[in-house]
């Protein structure tokens, strides 16, 4: 077997008020130089300024991220120099931009998510927009993940439900990954088990997540972190990304306004049916958690749904259940009706 290189986060801190421990963590990790804080227009007031104040003796620069793109990284690089490490305090765009910036500059990245909305908070993957096309590439996992339950629990509930849906879609992603073995693809039982365990924990925690109980949010955050780690273990998004994610990527390119996890959840209901998995369990859990279960909930039409599913296996070379079923538009609509998506 070929040597396998694994790079993982060095510190994962989950708990109430842990944002205050960031300077201590940076000392423990022996990070040197000035931090650059990246945050968003809303998350600046929620946590960005708080993190900046923790380093008041160094006066770190703080930049507001508008979108996760190469040009945004370039804009910040032109403006700021002599940075020792990057702290991303915010949602998906901020975390992705921070990860990409740190990767380009070859400096450490600290992930401080303000919403538990997807598993990118802990992974080595970064989703970037280049011109109008959005794609995912491999960067480095964060050196540290600081998940403050107090901050994460106060995120809008829609983002929390979307994070659950992203994790629930691991069921269909792992099934697709197993199919990939037929094509000689590398498969790690350990990473697959970790990914499925994350989904199982979220399903078992639906009630306490809905009530935003501390234990519920903690279980969701730990599941997102574990799912991100399962990707770092194999150096690919395979453990958490199958045909349901490809469907979501097509919707992104169609300018869908729905959230990543919401799209993946719907994709997962559909692909679970194709895979002969218990699609009802996936659908019912999404419904229970308050995530979308119909195309209408996503804000897309029947035609858009069919087009996205029809094109899902064309956007990248990744063997999935879609390659084993010769679907046409009518069949897609049939299945979507059977599963209640349409
Ligand atoms: Zn995802």
């Amino acid at each position: 077997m070929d040597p396998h290189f694994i790079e993982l986060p060095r510190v994962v801190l989950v708990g109430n008020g842990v944002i205050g421990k960031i300077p201590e963590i940076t000392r423990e990790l022996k990070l040197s130089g000035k931090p650059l804080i990246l945050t968003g227009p809303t998350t600046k007031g929620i946590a960005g300024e708080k993190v900046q104040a923790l380093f008041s003796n160094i006066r770190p620069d703080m930049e507001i991220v508008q979108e996760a793109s190469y040009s945004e990284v370039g804009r910040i690089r032109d403006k700021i120099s002599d940075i020792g490490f990057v702290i991303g305090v915010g949602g998906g765009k901020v975390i992705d931009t921070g990860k990409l910036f740190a990767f380009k500059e070859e400096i450490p990245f600290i992930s401080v998510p303000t919403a538990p909305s997807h598993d990118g908070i802990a992974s080595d993957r970064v989703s970037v927009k280049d011109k109008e096309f959005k794609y995912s590439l491999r960067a480095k996992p964060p050196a540290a993940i600081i998940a403050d339950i107090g901050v994460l629990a106060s995120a809008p509930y829609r983002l929390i439900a979307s994070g659950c849906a992203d994790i629930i879609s691991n069921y269909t992603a792992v099934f697709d990954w197993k199919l990939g073995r037929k094509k000689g693809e590398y498969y790690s039982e350990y990473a697959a088990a970790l990914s499925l365990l994350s989904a199982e924990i979220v399903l078992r925690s639906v009630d306490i997540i809905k009530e935003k109980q501390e234990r519920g949010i903690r279980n969701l955050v730990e599941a997102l972190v574990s799912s991100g780690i399962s990707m770092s273990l194999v150096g690919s998004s395979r453990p958490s990304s199958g045909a349901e994610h490809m469907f979501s990527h097509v919707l992104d390119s169609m300018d869908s306004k729905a959230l990543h996890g919401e799209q993946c959840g719907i994709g997962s209901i559909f692909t679970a049916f194709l895979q002969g998995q218990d699609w009802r369990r996936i659908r019912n859990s999404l419904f229970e958690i308050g995530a979308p279960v119909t195309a209408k909930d996503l804000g897309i039409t029947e035609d858009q749904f069919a087009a996205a599913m029809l094109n899902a296996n064309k956007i990248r070379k990744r063997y999935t259940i879609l390659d084993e079923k010769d679907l046409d538009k009518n069949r897609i609509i049939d299945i979507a009706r059977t599963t209640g998506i349409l």
Side-chain angles (χ1 to χ4, degrees), residues 6-139:
I6 298 175
E7 197 176 6
L8 297 172
R10 285 167 63 195
V11 175
V12 178
L13 196 58
V14 183
N16 238 323
V18 292
I19 273 191
K21 296 201 179 295
I22 295 177
E24 202 179 311
I25 299 293
T26 60
R27 280 195 296 276
E28 236 167 71
L29 291 173
K30 301 203 167 29
L31 302 185
S32 56
K34 210 165 130 180
L36 163 65
I37 298 167
L38 297 181
T39 193
T42 317
T43 48
K44 179 183 169 201
I46 296 168
E49 283 166 345
K50 213 183 276 175
V51 174
Q52 192 182 32
L54 294 170
F55 292 93
S56 55
N57 51 335
I58 330 179
R59 296 174 165 273
D61 289 304
M62 184 156 75
E63 278 294 314
I64 306 288
V65 171
Q66 303 296 347
E67 60 168 24
S69 66
Y70 278 108
S71 54
E72 183 70 346
V73 169
R75 179 187 69 81
I76 301 167
R77 279 168 98 191
D78 287 346
K79 212 167 147 189
I80 288 161
S81 55
D82 291 331
I83 299 300
F85 56 98
V86 181
I87 308 177
V89 188
K93 281 178 202 162
V94 171
I95 302 289
D96 278 340
T97 307
K99 230 185 262 174
L100 191 60
F101 187 97
F103 183 60
K104 294 253 162 218
E105 296 290 302
E106 297 182 23
I107 52 177
F109 173 64
I110 297 185
S111 173
V112 188
T114 52
S117 57
H118 60 84
D119 56 17
I121 59 175
S123 75
D124 59 355
R125 314 292 308 175
V126 42
S127 165
V128 281
K129 214 170 151 196
D130 196 8
K131 299 209 170 67
E132 281 321 297
F133 193 66
K134 214 169 156 192
Y135 59 97
S136 144
L137 57 93
R138 187 181 186 187

Side-chain angles (χ1 to χ4, degrees), residues 118-119 166 240 245 260 264:
H118 60 84
D119 56 17
D166 194 23
S240 315
H245 269 68
H260 170 80
C264 295

Side-chain angles (χ1 to χ4, degrees), residues 2-308:
D2 290 336
H4 186 72
F5 180 77
I6 298 175
E7 197 176 6
L8 297 172
R10 285 167 63 195
V11 175
V12 178
L13 196 58
V14 183
N16 238 323
V18 292
I19 273 191
K21 296 201 179 295
I22 295 177
E24 202 179 311
I25 299 293
T26 60
R27 280 195 296 276
E28 236 167 71
L29 291 173
K30 301 203 167 29
L31 302 185
S32 56
K34 210 165 130 180
L36 163 65
I37 298 167
L38 297 181
T39 193
T42 317
T43 48
K44 179 183 169 201
I46 296 168
E49 283 166 345
K50 213 183 276 175
V51 174
Q52 192 182 32
L54 294 170
F55 292 93
S56 55
N57 51 335
I58 330 179
R59 296 174 165 273
D61 289 304
M62 184 156 75
E63 278 294 314
I64 306 288
V65 171
Q66 303 296 347
E67 60 168 24
S69 66
Y70 278 108
S71 54
E72 183 70 346
V73 169
R75 179 187 69 81
I76 301 167
R77 279 168 98 191
D78 287 346
K79 212 167 147 189
I80 288 161
S81 55
D82 291 331
I83 299 300
F85 56 98
V86 181
I87 308 177
V89 188
K93 281 178 202 162
V94 171
I95 302 289
D96 278 340
T97 307
K99 230 185 262 174
L100 191 60
F101 187 97
F103 183 60
K104 294 253 162 218
E105 296 290 302
E106 297 182 23
I107 52 177
F109 173 64
I110 297 185
S111 173
V112 188
T114 52
S117 57
H118 60 84
D119 56 17
I121 59 175
S123 75
D124 59 355
R125 314 292 308 175
V126 42
S127 165
V128 281
K129 214 170 151 196
D130 196 8
K131 299 209 170 67
E132 281 321 297
F133 193 66
K134 214 169 156 192
Y135 59 97
S136 144
L137 57 93
R138 187 181 186 187
K140 266 175 175 294
I145 300 148
I146 313 291
D148 195 315
I149 299 295
V151 173
L152 293 161
S154 57
Y157 185 74
R158 186 181 169 198
L159 297 175
I160 296 175
S162 181
C164 293
D166 194 23
I167 292 293
I168 289 170
S169 78
N170 286 3
Y171 283 115
T172 47
V174 169
F175 191 100
D176 277 341
W177 189 17
K178 276 187 193 149
L179 294 179
R181 284 187 296 188
K182 289 182 196 166
K183 300 284 163 193
E185 237 185 272
Y186 170 75
Y187 177 82
S188 154
E189 278 179 60
Y190 178 65
L194 187 60
S195 170
L196 291 177
L197 178 68
S198 311
E200 202 56 44
I201 286 172
V202 166
L203 283 200
R204 279 193 239 137
S205 310
V206 168
D207 290 342
I208 51 174
I209 294 172
K210 263 164 70 181
E211 289 166 7
K212 288 192 174 186
Q213 280 187 31
E214 188 179 331
R215 195 161 60 86
I217 300 299
R218 182 185 280 269
N219 285 356
L220 170 59
V221 170
E222 289 180 352
L224 293 167
V225 171
S226 303
S227 185
I229 286 177
S230 73
M231 291 187 257
S232 295
L233 283 174
V234 290
S236 137
S237 59
R238 254 308 195 180
S240 315
S241 169
E244 76 298 317
H245 269 68
M246 287 148 77
F247 162 77
S248 169
H249 294 320
V250 179
L251 284 179
D252 286 339
S253 68
M254 289 162 69
D255 239 6
S256 156
K257 297 285 172 280
L259 300 172
H260 170 80
E262 296 175 334
Q263 297 176 167
C264 295
I266 299 269
S268 206
I269 300 173
F270 187 92
T271 58
F273 178 93
L274 292 178
Q275 293 167 341
Q277 291 211 80
D278 189 354
W279 62 268
R280 285 188 182 84
R281 186 174 183 232
I282 292 180
R283 186 184 192 279
N284 293 345
S285 324
L286 291 171
F287 183 76
E288 190 66 20
I289 208 89
V293 290
T294 66
K296 200 169 163 229
D297 292 342
L298 279 189
I300 59 169
T301 63
E302 180 174 296
D303 279 351
Q304 286 171 320
F305 177 84

